[in-house]
Every structure is written in structure tokens, then in C-alpha cells.
Amino acid sequence: MKTRDKIVFASLELFNEHGERNITTNHIAAHLGISPGNLYYHFRNKEDIINSIFALYESHLESGFKPYEDTTVDIELLMGYFDAMFYTLWQFRFMYANLADILSRDEALKARYLTAQEQVLSRSSHVLRKLISDGFLEIEDSKVTALADTIKMMVSFWISYQLTQSSTSTITKATLYEGLLRVLMIFKAYSTPGSEATFTRLEQHYLDVASQERDAAA
């Protein structure tokens, strides 16, 4: 792996584990065993590193939430979307935990974030409309975008909500799976008689996974 890529992934790891505000470029350099000068050869400052991490985030959003075409809807397809949702929250949890502060420091990054979120809303709405046409969801077409935006809002602020609702300062995988289960509650509320069993199976899967994660952390 190139030094630049090592810096990006090490920074992502440290930001996630300790919080972005608690990590400096000196911490990152020490973690990698390189000099600060070597780090500054590749990145001007920490904000520059965050911008490179955000490029990974953009790439994942694009690949993980593509509308499906010419594919039969089944539990595996739905699980793919929910797993992508989990991966996004877990892999970039430092950003979700401190989103307003990070975006307030960089207007260009905020513009990129808003663009990425507009694209997520568009793709999510497309997926929901496909699920409606395939008989998995039942909702008026005029409300699809609002539903997609509500789901996006829940995902975007689940981590910060959890951090403000308890004394914990650590986000676990179990916590994120609990967030997915809340999203699944919405899907079940709009499920059709023919799809309810599929969403129930999906719900049980993530209940089991969340339980396993809690047991592993105990």
C-alpha cells in the first residue's frame, strides 16, 4: 500500500476509535511510524486527510446503494442494502458522530456532502419505487421521496442521537444494528401482505446479529 493510502486508512481507524477532534497529524504519523514531515509531504493538514476519507465515503455510497434492475427481490437483495447501510455507519462512524462540526469547518466539503446526500436520496427513492412496483411496499407515489428522506435522516443521525441519549461515548456494532432494526420497522409498516414475512425474516436476522455482537462485547 502506498504511503498516502496508509495515512488515509490509519487516520480513519484513529478517528473512529478516538474521535476526530482528539487526533492530530502527529498522532497519525506516530501511529504509522513515519515523521510528521513525511505525512505533510502527502497531506497539507488534517482537513486534507478528511477530504480523502470523504472520497472513500462517496465511493461507497455510490456502489452500495445502486437501484436494482432486472433482479428478483428476495431477502438476499434486501440484506445487501441493509449491510451496505451498516458498513457505511461503522466504517465512517467518526463522521456521523461529529458531522455538523466537521462540515462547518470546510465549505467545500459541505458542498460535496450535500451533493452526495442528494444522490443518495435520488437512488433511495428509486429503490423504494422499485419495491412498490414489485409488490414489496405499499405507499402513495407522492410520499416516496419523503419516506426515503426520513430513512436517510434516521441513518444520518442515529449515531449522534445515541451519543446524546446515554452516558456512553463509544458506538458499538450492536448499537448500529439496533439502528438498522429501527429502519426495518418503517419498512414493515409499509410492507404488503405478501412481503411481510420477508421483512420479518430480515428483522430476525439482524436481531440475532445484534445479540451476537452484544455477547461478543460482554
Side-chain angles (χ1 to χ4, degrees):
M1 189 184 296
K2 296 179 179 179
T3 301
R4 181 182 178 85
D5 293 332
K6 289 181 180 179
I7 293 170
V8 170
F9 286 104
S11 300
L12 180 56
E13 177 186 351
L14 292 172
F15 292 164
N16 280 335
E17 291 298 320
H18 305 288
E20 175 266 331
R21 283 178 293 186
N22 298 320
I23 297 298
T24 67
T25 51
N26 284 343
H27 289 131
I28 298 166
H31 180 78
L32 286 169
I34 63 176
S35 68
N38 193 352
L39 185 146
Y40 288 124
Y41 174 79
H42 297 280
F43 295 97
R44 292 167 298 173
N45 48 41
K46 191 168 76 170
E47 302 303 321
D48 199 14
I49 297 173
I50 291 173
N51 271 270
S52 291
I53 291 174
F54 193 81
L56 297 177
Y57 172 74
E58 290 171 315
S59 178
H60 176 67
L61 290 181
E62 184 174 353
S63 63
F65 300 96
K66 289 181 178 179
Y68 67 95
E69 301 290 347
D70 303 320
T71 302
T72 301
V73 184
D74 54 22
I75 193 168
E76 284 75 22
L77 183 143
L78 295 171
M79 198 178 296
Y81 284 120
F82 279 91
D83 285 347
M85 198 182 300
F86 170 84
Y87 178 87
T88 304
L89 285 168
W90 181 251
Q91 193 68 11
F92 303 98
R93 58 193 183 278
F94 86 90
M95 189 171 68
Y96 287 104
N98 198 30
L99 189 60
D101 181 49
I102 291 172
L103 296 181
S104 71
R105 303 195 308 251
D106 190 331
E107 286 299 320
L109 183 64
K110 184 175 182 179
R112 285 173 63 189
Y113 175 80
L114 291 175
T115 297
Q117 291 302 302
E118 288 173 3
Q119 293 170 349
V120 167
L121 181 60
S122 176
R123 287 194 290 267
S124 299
S125 298
H126 190 151
V127 170
L128 291 179
R129 287 192 169 92
K130 282 285 291 175
L131 290 172
I132 292 167
S133 67
D134 288 339
F136 265 67
L137 296 177
E138 190 170 12
I139 181 175
E140 296 174 29
D141 186 74
S142 61
K143 297 181 179 179
V144 168
T145 299
L147 177 60
D149 194 44
T150 299
I151 293 169
K152 184 169 69 69
M153 176 179 63
M154 288 183 65
V155 173
S156 297
F157 295 101
W158 178 253
I159 287 177
S160 58
Y161 174 76
Q162 289 298 311
L163 290 173
T164 58
Q165 295 301 307
S166 69
S167 59
T168 183
S169 60
T170 303
I171 293 298
T172 66
K173 288 184 177 181
T175 302
L176 300 188
Y177 281 121
E178 289 166 9
L180 293 193
L181 286 163
R182 299 295 180 88
V183 175
L184 260 170
M185 288 177 66
I186 295 179
F187 276 87
K188 285 191 71 176
Y190 290 100
S191 65
T192 62
S195 68
E196 186 176 357
T198 299
F199 285 117
T200 298
R201 286 175 58 204
L202 197 59
E203 184 179 50
Q204 188 59 55
H205 167 74
Y206 287 111
L207 281 169
D208 293 341
V209 173
S211 178
Q212 291 167 11
E213 289 294 343
R214 283 192 292 269
D215 290 343

